Amino acid sequence: MRFRIYRYNPETDKEPYMKDYQLDNVSSDMMLLDALLLLKEKDPGLGFRRSCREGVCGSDGMNINGTNGLACITRLSDLKEPVELRPMPRLPVIRDLIVDMEQFYKQYRDVKPYLDVKDPLPEVELKQTPEERDQLDGLYECIMCGCCTTACPSFWWNPDKFLGPAALLQAARFLGDSRDQATDERLQALDDPFKLFRCHTIMNCVQVCPKGLNPTKAIGDIKKMMVKKSL
Amino acid sequence: MNIEDIPRRRFDALIIGAGGGGLRAALQLAEADASVAVVSKVFPTRSHTVAAQGGMNAALANVLPDNWHWHMFDTVKGSDYLGDQDAIEYMCRAAPKAVYEMEHFGVPFSRLDNGKIYQRPFGGQSQNFGGEQAARTCAAADRTGHAILHSLYQQNIRAKTHFFDEYFAVDLLKDEQGNILGAYVFDIHSGEELIIEAKTTLLATGGAGQLFRTTTNALINTGDGMGMALRAGMPLQDMEFFQFHPTGIAGRGMLITEGARGEGGYLVNAKGERFMERYAPSAKDLASRDVVSRSIYTEVKEGRGCGPEKDHVLLKLDHLPEDVLQSRLPGIRQTCITFLGIDPADQPIPVYPTAHYTMGGVPTNRHGQVVIPVKDTPEEPVTGLYAAGECACVSVHGANRLGGNSLLDILVFGRSAANHIIEYLKENRFHKVIDEKVIKQAYNRLHRWDTNSGDESVDDIRHELQKVMEENCGVFRTQDVLNNGVEEVSKLAERLKNASITDQSELFNTARVEALELENLMDVALATVYSAAARTESRGAHSRVDFTERDDKGWMRHTLYTSEERKLDYKPVRTKPMSVDSFPPKPRVY
C-alpha cells in the first residue's frame, strides 16, 4: 500500500515536503495507526502522537486523504491510495504530523468547562433524573482530538476569536447539565459577535467527529437558549 | 546544553503523571494553596484512565443492600489474602465519599429512576460476606474512566493547577541522605531539559501493560514511575501478580468491560456451553478475573475454543435488549463495530485473556508514602516520595484486583497522598539541597542516547521483550518456563545497553522517548520475572502448574525486588485492619 506523508522538522528541513512510503503485507483488518507504527520502524524520525489505539484518548487526530480523523480507528481498506497524511489544518506544526494544540486547549479553558454548583453541596450525590442525564449524551463523550475545530472554516478565519466547535460543545455540555447553576453567566460570556456566532453551520465538524457527535446541533441549542433568555 | 545551564524551578509538590491518581492529588493540593507542578508525557486527557470502562466500586446501596464491610471482605478475598487489610478497610470506607466527590466535580454518572447514581453488578462482589451477588459499581455508561478523567482535568483548570504537558520525567533527584527532592525532566516539544526541585514528589505514572504483546493497555503504559523508583534504589512489590483480563478482543486486545457480563452477558465455548457454570457454580461469569481468565485458557487448551483456530471463546450479549446495549454499553458496542465489523446486538464477541493490570508496584502505606525495608523495619517511609494508583502497591489488590477497584484506588489514594503531603509541607518549609552527582547520573542517562553507536534497535528489543513476557510469564506458569523468562529478559537487558537511535533531533523526538520508555519497561520486566520465578505457590493471578495450591504458611508475604544485584526480599502481609476483625485466609471459591 502506498502512502504520502507530510514531513517537516524545522530543525533540519528548510520547508515541508511530502514523502512517499510503501508498505507490503497489509492485512484487511489493519487500522491506519498500525500502518504508521510499521512505517515508523523503518523511518524512526516520522513524528506523530498516539496512545490508546482504540479511539478514546484523542491523540492521533490527523488529516487523512483530505478529511480529519483518528488514525487508530480508520480502516486501511477504506482509504484510497496513495493515502495522503497531513497534520490537522491551521494549527502550528511542531514536527511532521504533530501540531501545537495550545490554541485549541485555550478555547476549551475559555468556556469554563467545569460544573458550577452555587448551592451548598449535599453529603450524597446531587439528584438527576435519567431524562436529565440523557441530555448530556452526545455532549460529554468528546475526546478533545481537535478534528472538528481544525476542520472548521470559521476557525481557520478567526482562530483567536471564534471558540470553535469543540469548545462550544463543552459549553453546551455544562449548559445542558441539570446540576449546573451558572447558565446565565455562561450564556452571557458567549454573547459576542465572534465566540459563538461565527458558526455558519458549515457542518464540517459533524462530518469529521470520530465519536459521531454533533457540535453544530449543540451550537444551535446554545443560540436557542440565548434567544429564550432575551425574551 | 551544559549541565550547569539547565534551568531549575521550585515547587512544593511535583506530581509525575496526569491520570486519575495524579489529577486527584493535584486538585487536593491546589485547593490547599500548595504550589504544585504536574508533569505528564502526554496531555492529561490522553492518560490511560480515560480507557477505564465499567465503573468504580462503592457501597452506596443504591440498587441492592450493601455496606463497606462487605466490600472489604470481597476485596480481601479477591486479593487471595495478599492484600493489606488496613489499606483495604481504609479504601472501602472512603469509597462512598470518593464517588460523591466525583459526582460533585461533574462526572455524568448514569442514573436510576430515583435520581441516584446507577450501580451495576461486577465480578467478585457479594452481599453479606460471600452471599448473593451485589451491585456496587458506579458507572457512567461504559465510559466511566473518560468521565472521571475529564471531570478531574476540568476541576484542575478551575483550581489553576500548573501543568507541564508533554514533559518526560527521566529520573528522581535526591540528596545524600536519600530524601527525594524532585525530578530531572525534559520538554518533549523542544528537547529542553529542566530540573524540578520539589519538597515532595508523587509518582502517579500508571501500569506497565506494554510488557506484553497483547494488552488492553495504551502504548504509553511503560512503567516509567516504577523504573524511576527502581533506579532510585526503591524496591518494587509483588510484581509477579499481573492481571489478565478475561475479555480482551481476541488477537487484538481491546478491552470489553466486565460490565458486559454485569449487564447479563455470558461466555460460551465451541459447544455453546456456558462453561463458567463448571468453574464457578455460584458466581459463574461474575467470578473473579483470575478465575475467569484461567477458565477461558483451559477451555481453549482442552480443544473447546471457537473459530477456525479454536483459539478463543465467545461473549454473548445478543440476548440483551438493544436499549440496554445502547444505554449501558455504547462504547464497547462501537469498539466491536469498528474493530471486528460485528454488532454485539446481533453476534457474539470473540474474546481471550489479555494483559491488563499491574497489581504490583512501588510499595506504599495508606498515606501514599513510599515505604522500604531499613534494617529491622520492613516499612520505613522515604522522606519526600509518594506513589499512588497502578504504579503503587499499597496493597489493596494483593494477588488479584477486583473489577471496579482500580478507579476507586486512584481516587482514594491520590487524595490521601495529597493530604499527607499537605501535612508534610507544614513541617518542612524549605527545599533541601540536591546531590549534584544524582543530577549528573540523570543527565548521562538521557544523553547516552545522543552518542551511543550500538547496533541494536529499540523496536526489535521491545518486540522481543513483549514476546518473551507473553510466552514465559502468562496466565499459567511453571518453573522451567519462568526460569527461561529470567534468562531471556536478562539477555535482552544486556542487549539494550548496545541499542541506539538514529533520530538525534531535539524537536519532539519520539524515538528518544520510546528508548527511555523501553529502559523503564526492561527494569520492570526484570522485576516481574525474578519475582515470579521465586514464588512457588499459586495465589491470585500467579498460577503455577507445578505448585497448584496456595501456601499460606510459606508464602502469605509480599515480594520486594530491588535492581541492585536483582535481589529479592519479603515482608509480611498486614492482616490487621484499622478497626474491624481480620479476615483470616479461607479457600477461595466463587
Short mmCIF file of all heavy atoms in Angstrom, two decimals, chain B residues 211-237:
data_model
loop_
_atom_site.label_atom_id
_atom_site.label_comp_id
_atom_site.label_asym_id
_atom_site.label_seq_id
_atom_site.Cartn_x
_atom_site.Cartn_y
_atom_site.Cartn_z
N LEU B 211 4.42 -4.48 28.77
CA LEU B 211 5.28 -5.64 28.94
C LEU B 211 4.86 -6.78 28.02
O LEU B 211 5.65 -7.65 27.69
CB LEU B 211 5.19 -6.16 30.38
CG LEU B 211 5.94 -5.41 31.47
CD1 LEU B 211 5.59 -6.01 32.81
CD2 LEU B 211 7.44 -5.49 31.22
N PHE B 212 3.58 -6.80 27.66
CA PHE B 212 3.04 -7.95 26.93
C PHE B 212 2.61 -7.55 25.53
O PHE B 212 2.27 -6.40 25.27
CB PHE B 212 1.85 -8.53 27.70
CG PHE B 212 2.23 -9.09 29.04
CD1 PHE B 212 2.23 -8.29 30.17
CD2 PHE B 212 2.64 -10.40 29.16
CE1 PHE B 212 2.61 -8.79 31.41
CE2 PHE B 212 3.02 -10.92 30.39
CZ PHE B 212 3.00 -10.12 31.52
N ARG B 213 2.62 -8.53 24.65
CA ARG B 213 2.32 -8.26 23.25
C ARG B 213 0.84 -7.94 23.05
O ARG B 213 0.49 -6.98 22.38
CB ARG B 213 2.71 -9.50 22.42
CG ARG B 213 2.70 -9.27 20.94
CD ARG B 213 3.43 -10.39 20.24
NE ARG B 213 3.01 -11.71 20.70
CZ ARG B 213 3.39 -12.84 20.13
NH1 ARG B 213 4.21 -12.82 19.11
NH2 ARG B 213 2.98 -14.01 20.60
N THR B 214 -0.02 -8.76 23.65
CA THR B 214 -1.45 -8.48 23.54
C THR B 214 -1.91 -7.89 24.86
O THR B 214 -1.85 -8.53 25.90
CB THR B 214 -2.24 -9.76 23.24
OG1 THR B 214 -1.63 -10.42 22.15
CG2 THR B 214 -3.68 -9.42 22.87
N THR B 215 -2.34 -6.64 24.82
CA THR B 215 -2.65 -5.93 26.05
C THR B 215 -3.80 -4.97 25.83
O THR B 215 -3.99 -4.47 24.72
CB THR B 215 -1.40 -5.17 26.56
OG1 THR B 215 -1.77 -4.33 27.67
CG2 THR B 215 -0.79 -4.28 25.48
N THR B 216 -4.57 -4.73 26.88
CA THR B 216 -5.60 -3.70 26.81
C THR B 216 -4.98 -2.32 26.99
O THR B 216 -5.65 -1.32 26.80
CB THR B 216 -6.63 -3.88 27.93
OG1 THR B 216 -5.97 -3.71 29.20
CG2 THR B 216 -7.29 -5.25 27.89
N ASN B 217 -3.71 -2.28 27.40
CA ASN B 217 -3.10 -1.02 27.79
C ASN B 217 -2.68 -0.18 26.59
O ASN B 217 -2.35 -0.70 25.52
CB ASN B 217 -1.86 -1.27 28.64
CG ASN B 217 -2.17 -1.58 30.10
OD1 ASN B 217 -1.35 -1.35 30.98
ND2 ASN B 217 -3.37 -2.10 30.38
N ALA B 218 -2.62 1.12 26.83
CA ALA B 218 -2.17 2.07 25.82
C ALA B 218 -0.66 1.93 25.59
O ALA B 218 0.05 1.37 26.42
CB ALA B 218 -2.49 3.49 26.26
N LEU B 219 -0.21 2.50 24.48
CA LEU B 219 1.22 2.45 24.16
C LEU B 219 2.07 3.23 25.17
O LEU B 219 3.27 3.02 25.28
CB LEU B 219 1.45 2.99 22.74
CG LEU B 219 0.86 2.09 21.65
CD1 LEU B 219 0.71 2.85 20.34
CD2 LEU B 219 1.72 0.85 21.44
N ILE B 220 1.44 4.12 25.92
CA ILE B 220 2.20 4.92 26.90
C ILE B 220 2.41 4.18 28.22
O ILE B 220 3.15 4.67 29.08
CB ILE B 220 1.50 6.26 27.22
CG1 ILE B 220 0.06 6.03 27.71
CG2 ILE B 220 1.51 7.18 26.02
CD1 ILE B 220 -0.62 7.27 28.26
N ASN B 221 1.79 3.01 28.42
CA ASN B 221 1.86 2.34 29.72
C ASN B 221 3.13 1.50 29.84
O ASN B 221 3.12 0.28 29.73
CB ASN B 221 0.62 1.47 29.97
CG ASN B 221 -0.65 2.30 30.03
OD1 ASN B 221 -1.66 1.96 29.45
ND2 ASN B 221 -0.57 3.41 30.73
N THR B 222 4.24 2.21 30.09
CA THR B 222 5.55 1.57 30.06
C THR B 222 6.23 1.54 31.43
O THR B 222 7.45 1.39 31.51
CB THR B 222 6.46 2.28 29.04
OG1 THR B 222 6.42 3.69 29.30
CG2 THR B 222 5.99 2.04 27.62
N GLY B 223 5.46 1.71 32.49
CA GLY B 223 6.02 1.56 33.84
C GLY B 223 7.10 2.57 34.16
O GLY B 223 8.08 2.25 34.86
N ASP B 224 6.93 3.82 33.71
CA ASP B 224 8.00 4.81 33.88
C ASP B 224 8.31 5.10 35.35
O ASP B 224 9.47 5.17 35.75
CB ASP B 224 7.63 6.12 33.16
CG ASP B 224 7.47 5.91 31.66
OD1 ASP B 224 8.08 4.98 31.11
OD2 ASP B 224 6.73 6.69 31.03
N GLY B 225 7.26 5.27 36.15
CA GLY B 225 7.48 5.58 37.57
C GLY B 225 8.14 4.42 38.30
O GLY B 225 8.98 4.61 39.19
N MET B 226 7.74 3.21 37.92
CA MET B 226 8.35 2.03 38.54
C MET B 226 9.84 1.95 38.20
O MET B 226 10.67 1.66 39.05
CB MET B 226 7.64 0.76 38.06
CG MET B 226 6.17 0.69 38.45
SD MET B 226 5.41 -0.77 37.71
CE MET B 226 3.69 -0.48 38.05
N GLY B 227 10.16 2.24 36.94
CA GLY B 227 11.55 2.24 36.52
C GLY B 227 12.35 3.31 37.26
O GLY B 227 13.46 3.06 37.75
N MET B 228 11.76 4.50 37.38
CA MET B 228 12.43 5.58 38.11
C MET B 228 12.68 5.20 39.57
O MET B 228 13.74 5.48 40.12
CB MET B 228 11.57 6.85 38.06
CG MET B 228 11.79 7.69 36.84
SD MET B 228 10.89 9.25 36.96
CE MET B 228 9.33 8.76 36.29
N ALA B 229 11.67 4.58 40.18
CA ALA B 229 11.79 4.19 41.59
C ALA B 229 12.90 3.16 41.75
O ALA B 229 13.73 3.26 42.65
CB ALA B 229 10.45 3.64 42.09
N LEU B 230 12.93 2.17 40.85
CA LEU B 230 13.99 1.15 40.93
C LEU B 230 15.37 1.78 40.83
O LEU B 230 16.28 1.47 41.60
CB LEU B 230 13.82 0.11 39.81
CG LEU B 230 12.77 -0.97 40.00
CD1 LEU B 230 12.63 -1.79 38.72
CD2 LEU B 230 13.12 -1.89 41.18
N ARG B 231 15.51 2.70 39.87
CA ARG B 231 16.82 3.32 39.69
C ARG B 231 17.21 4.20 40.88
O ARG B 231 18.39 4.41 41.14
CB ARG B 231 16.86 4.13 38.39
CG ARG B 231 16.99 3.25 37.14
CD ARG B 231 17.30 4.08 35.91
NE ARG B 231 16.23 5.03 35.63
CZ ARG B 231 15.11 4.74 34.96
NH1 ARG B 231 14.92 3.53 34.48
NH2 ARG B 231 14.19 5.67 34.76
N ALA B 232 16.20 4.70 41.60
CA ALA B 232 16.49 5.50 42.80
C ALA B 232 16.74 4.60 44.01
O ALA B 232 16.88 5.09 45.13
CB ALA B 232 15.34 6.46 43.07
N GLY B 233 16.77 3.27 43.79
CA GLY B 233 17.09 2.34 44.88
C GLY B 233 15.88 1.80 45.62
O GLY B 233 16.03 1.07 46.60
N MET B 234 14.67 2.15 45.17
CA MET B 234 13.46 1.64 45.84
C MET B 234 13.18 0.21 45.35
O MET B 234 13.51 -0.14 44.22
CB MET B 234 12.24 2.50 45.51
CG MET B 234 12.42 3.99 45.72
SD MET B 234 12.76 4.36 47.44
CE MET B 234 13.78 5.82 47.24
N PRO B 235 12.50 -0.58 46.18
CA PRO B 235 12.06 -1.89 45.70
C PRO B 235 10.73 -1.78 44.95
O PRO B 235 10.02 -0.78 45.06
CB PRO B 235 11.86 -2.68 47.00
CG PRO B 235 11.55 -1.66 48.04
CD PRO B 235 12.18 -0.36 47.60
N LEU B 236 10.41 -2.81 44.17
CA LEU B 236 9.04 -2.97 43.67
C LEU B 236 8.45 -4.18 44.38
O LEU B 236 9.12 -5.19 44.61
CB LEU B 236 9.02 -3.19 42.16
CG LEU B 236 9.42 -2.00 41.28
CD1 LEU B 236 9.19 -2.33 39.80
CD2 LEU B 236 8.67 -0.73 41.66
N GLN B 237 7.16 -4.06 44.69
CA GLN B 237 6.49 -5.08 45.50
C GLN B 237 5.53 -5.92 44.64
O GLN B 237 4.81 -5.37 43.79
CB GLN B 237 5.71 -4.36 46.61
CG GLN B 237 4.93 -5.27 47.53
CD GLN B 237 4.28 -4.48 48.67
OE1 GLN B 237 4.87 -3.53 49.19
NE2 GLN B 237 3.09 -4.88 49.07
#
